[in-house]
Amino acid sequence: MKKLGVFVCWCGSNIASSVDVEQVVVQAAKLDGVVHAEHYMYMCSDPGQQKVKDAIKEKGLDGVVVACCSPRMHENTFRKAAGLVGLNPFLLEIANIREQCSWVHANNKPVATAKAVSIIEATLDKVKQNLPLETITIPLNKRVCVVGGGIAGIMSALDLADAGYEVVIIEKEPAIGGHVAQISTTFPYFQKLPELLQKKIDEVNAHPRITVYLSSEVDELEGYVGNFKVTIRTRPAFVDHDKCTGCGKCFEVCPVSVPDEFNRGLSQRGAIFRYNQGSEHQLPIINRDDCLHFSDGEQENGEKCQLCVDACAEQAIDLGAIRSLQEELVGAIVMATGYDVYSPANLPEYGGGRLPDVIDGLAFERLLDPKGPTGGRIVRPSDGRVPKSVVFIQCAGSRDPERHKAYCSRACCMYTAKQARLYKRQVDDGTAYISYMDIRSDSRDFEEFVQQGMEEENLVYIRGRVAKVFPEGDVLKVFTADTLSGRQLEIEADLVVLAMAMEPKSGVRELAKKMNVTIDGDGFLSETHIKLYPVESSTKGVYLAGCGQSPKDITDTVSQALATSGKIQTMFSNETLIADPLIAEVKEDVCSGCGICIDICPYGARIMDDFKRISMVNQAVCQGCGACIAACPNKACELINSTSRQFIRMVDDFSHKAQMA
Amino acid sequence: MKTVVSRDQVQGDFVKKVAEISGENFFNCYQCGNCSAGCPSVNEMDLLPSQVVRYLQLGLAEEVRNCKSMWVCAACMMCQARCPKGVDISKIMEALRVLQLREVDAKAHIDVTDFSEDYLERAPQIAMISGYRKFLPL
């Protein structure tokens, strides 16, 4: 027979005003097995907790019910207190008589009081069948895999590596740096980004604890928190970078000419090329899809094209290279997958993708880059003329729930102001118009930056969404409205710059599926809690940073990246991981191995034991949500300490009471 | 009616002149409307004070030239006192009036040669200044 204790909290007047706590204690004391019952104004306070501890010690309680607020609030508090005096914490349960009783029956004291007693009685019956449990320990591999080598991945990796942990960066493109490598200048202080970034890239390359996989993607992910196995698929560069001297002869002979993605199509490149033409640090690679050797392109003499191979004095080019698969074992993963620019072709009314002088913001950044396709000169892509009138269109594709993206892309207001200011600094007799709906300049010195643009560079902000852009002669006509003056406007422009929405990187949906990470309706990776767990994904041990989670600027991206590093270091500060034992359990003799639970488990915690042909629970991964228990057709699994036996007993208690009333 | 906005207007002579005479930068204005909200004469105006500034930002010279608001403005300077960006709209209004008077065939009320030396010695200064204040032909 268990010796049970009941502790009733007033919660100030929250509970005591509608529940007669004294009456509850009198009633509870009469219940089966209860040897101690008392009430107190704030049970969660230090003296309140002391009362619980004292009673456990003095009366030798082996089961405790605290009747108070939701277990979400103070279950941990009381379990910890009980543990301190030697009671197994899992033999303490919370009876929620605040959210589920006093608050909903505020005007009916007799009903609230009777209900509080029932809740306590039912919880006592649950405690009687609770098992004392020990926490589960899981081994921990203190290595990290960072998916994405943009600024988020770089900053997270550097911080973790500096803290002493080995880091693996997986980058899809042939170079790390991400979109930041394409951007010329920061806001709000006009710092030169390429220099800032190159410093960080050099640090990564020189770091003894960082391994970078370029042109690589996650092929497969197995395992769970502390023990992931990442399979990495690497596309070949076809160029041996140990032999290559970067002389550039191969570029000259390559007969292919395709738009350069890095320069947003503002220049051409060959099939063998430097990913960033302006970076002397990068060595050539071959894009298999563009190369004539791999397509049907036979030369006249019947041989496959290998002009670059012949041109290379160092014999660094090997067209026979194949893709490789490698495995890395890590304990935590940072998803820094980044964004894609929503294609301007989605905005035909602005001539996006059709008119050469309608470009997106990232292309404009390439024009501003001194090592970019124009050497940093702002000119029209169509005829190379300096534009004297530029219309910047904000919210292009953003904030349009009917046709495009419902969300705000956050960085565009600021980078547009920056671009317009840089334009005015270069072309001082030019006019920059900015079409906007609202100006969102919500960080330090951002508002001042925008205002300064208006005051000093005389940027003409026009409040209204542009209706259409069309060519007339060799200029562009922009039809818009100015809602401030109530006028419909027609503006003559030489160049139109679209501040396109950011969208999740292509392929992230499939990657999220492999990682078991949930994504939101727009395809961004979702965090566990927007306020309190902003960098934790739905899978334990997988963290989120940067624009893969939501559109943001460099400042916020880096903050988030460093937050992931902090979270991982906290996790790595222990030698093993500790998991809650309130998880699913399988009755091995009942399980038929149908596998329904494996499909239903949102955490990938159910696994088929191939030898026994039954479904097992991975203790490290299971979160105790109970989905498999509901789904199991023959009741082969149970949630530990929340068994159906316990719950049926609790329901019986309530229905018994209801019949009596 | 579509209003054409061009570089020639935005950087045009008229707005440059208004900026020069008033000493104000219209682009300081972020169109919050506080001037229009506090102006005691706004009921008699055809353009709100903030609209006048907006039109100047867009370089819409004709609209501003033909507005009545500049003549209704009592130069009470409420707008200037309240403007969060420190734009002195009463100065802009005065500049518009001055430009208008310069452009059209405006005459002073008095011609100084009509008065005798003796009268001019005795005449109060303020009366003379008022007399020089120009009027527009109807």
Side-chain angles (χ1 to χ4, degrees), chain B residues 37-67:
Chain B
C39 177
S41 315
V42 86
N43 284 340
E44 304 301 325
M45 290 182 175
D46 52 352
L47 289 181
L48 298 170
S50 54
Q51 279 177 319
V52 171
V53 181
R54 184 63 182 159
Y55 284 9
L56 287 168
Q57 288 176 338
L58 297 177
L60 306 180
E62 274 321 298
E63 279 82 345
V64 177
R65 258 199 209 105
N66 296 331
C67 80

Side-chain angles (χ1 to χ4, degrees), chain A residues 429 451 455 461 482 490, chain B residues 3 5 7 25 28 54 85:
Chain A
D429 62 339
Q451 295 299 330
E455 291 163 18
Y461 271 84
D482 179 45
E490 179 190 314
Chain B
T3 309
V5 176
R7 187 166 69 104
N25 180 356
N28 280 10
R54 184 63 182 159
K85 293 297 300 290

Side-chain angles (χ1 to χ4, degrees), chain B residues 53-126:
Chain B
V53 181
R54 184 63 182 159
Y55 284 9
L56 287 168
Q57 288 176 338
L58 297 177
L60 306 180
E62 274 321 298
E63 279 82 345
V64 177
R65 258 199 209 105
N66 296 331
C67 80
K68 282 192 234 152
S69 300
M70 64 176 111
W71 303 113
V72 177
C73 168
C76 72
M77 298 175 61
M78 187 90 92
C79 47
Q80 182 261 343
R82 290 183 174 175
C83 178
K85 293 297 300 290
V87 181
D88 193 338
I89 298 175
S90 51
K91 276 193 184 163
I92 294 174
M93 292 292 195
E94 177 63 11
L96 292 175
R97 289 190 291 261
V98 167
L99 269 176
Q100 193 83 326
L101 290 167
R102 281 185 194 171
E103 275 176 24
V104 297
D105 186 21
K107 281 201 176 80
H109 289 269
I110 54 169
D111 183 349
V112 75
T113 55
D114 292 347
F115 304 107
S116 67
E117 288 276 323
D118 178 49
Y119 178 78
L120 288 175
E121 286 285 316
R122 287 179 288 116
Q125 272 185 357
I126 191 75

Side-chain angles (χ1 to χ4, degrees), chain A residues 238-452:
Chain A
F238 300 105
V239 180
D240 185 341
H241 288 170
D242 292 332
K243 288 186 193 162
C244 176
T245 58
C247 68
K249 287 212 179 76
C250 48
F251 304 140
E252 289 162 22
V253 296
C254 183
V256 175
S257 178
V258 291
D260 185 323
E261 305 88 345
F262 189 83
N263 286 337
R264 305 291 298 164
L266 294 176
S267 64
Q268 299 289 113
R269 63 163 176 80
I272 184 161
F273 64 108
R274 260 194 202 105
Y275 175 63
N276 174 359
Q277 291 183 10
S279 172
E280 62 278 12
H281 302 270
Q282 290 179 13
L283 293 171
I285 53 145
I286 293 174
N287 187 332
R288 201 178 191 284
D289 299 337
D290 301 327
C291 181
L292 294 179
H293 182 83
F294 299 102
S295 60
D296 47 9
E298 275 190 5
Q299 284 183 317
E300 282 150 21
N301 56 11
E303 281 171 17
K304 293 240 173 202
C305 172
Q306 50 171 4
L307 290 170
C308 55
V309 179
D310 299 338
C312 183
E314 312 296 325
Q315 296 184 325
I317 301 171
D318 173 15
L319 293 172
I322 50 161
R323 67 175 202 183
S324 64
L325 287 176
Q326 274 137 310
E327 279 176 5
E328 288 282 357
L329 299 173
V330 297
I333 294 173
V334 177
M335 298 275 276
T337 49
Y339 70 95
D340 274 335
V341 175
Y342 187 55
S343 170
N346 290 308
L347 297 170
E349 66 271 37
Y350 296 169
R354 188 162 44 85
L355 303 176
D357 294 329
V358 176
I359 61 175
D360 62 36
L362 209 53
F364 194 79
E365 290 292 339
R366 298 312 301 141
L367 292 178
L368 292 169
D369 185 353
K371 290 179 178 173
T374 58
R377 285 179 61 245
I378 300 168
V379 294
R380 304 199 329 158
S382 62
D383 55 8
R385 191 158 63 79
V386 174
K388 294 291 181 188
S389 163
V390 181
V391 176
F392 293 87
I393 303 177
Q394 291 189 178
C395 300
S398 301
R399 302 178 69 196
D400 185 340
E402 286 297 313
R403 301 177 308 151
H404 304 290
K405 310 289 182 188
Y407 52 83
C408 161
S409 292
R410 277 199 72 184
C412 335
C413 282
M414 291 309 297
Y415 79 63
T416 300
K418 177 201 73 181
Q419 289 175 346
R421 292 187 67 180
L422 288 171
Y423 163 72
K424 282 289 284 183
R425 286 175 179 201
Q426 196 177 112
V427 186
D428 67 342
D429 62 339
T431 303
Y433 305 89
I434 300 177
S435 146
Y436 72 103
M437 296 210 293
D438 300 279
I439 303 172
R440 297 186 171 173
S441 50
D442 58 348
S443 194
R444 186 165 64 176
D445 283 347
F446 281 16
E447 178 63 14
E448 293 89 327
F449 181 87
V450 174
Q451 295 299 330
Q452 228 172 14

Side-chain angles (χ1 to χ4, degrees), chain A residues 557-614:
Chain A
T557 296
V558 172
S559 305
Q560 220 179 9
L562 298 179
T564 60
S565 159
K567 293 303 293 186
I568 291 169
Q569 288 181 53
T570 308
M571 182 166 103
F572 285 3
S573 65
N574 298 306
E575 288 314 308
T576 52
L577 292 173
I578 291 168
D580 204 335
L582 296 172
I583 54 171
E585 184 184 41
V586 180
K587 292 180 206 152
E588 299 196 2
D589 46 348
V590 183
C591 177
S592 64
C594 69
I596 289 173
C597 52
I598 294 171
D599 294 334
I600 213 112
C601 178
Y603 304 99
R606 300 301 304 259
I607 27 178
M608 187 61 76
D609 184 323
D610 287 330
F611 181 65
K612 295 185 190 166
R613 289 307 298 165
I614 56 171

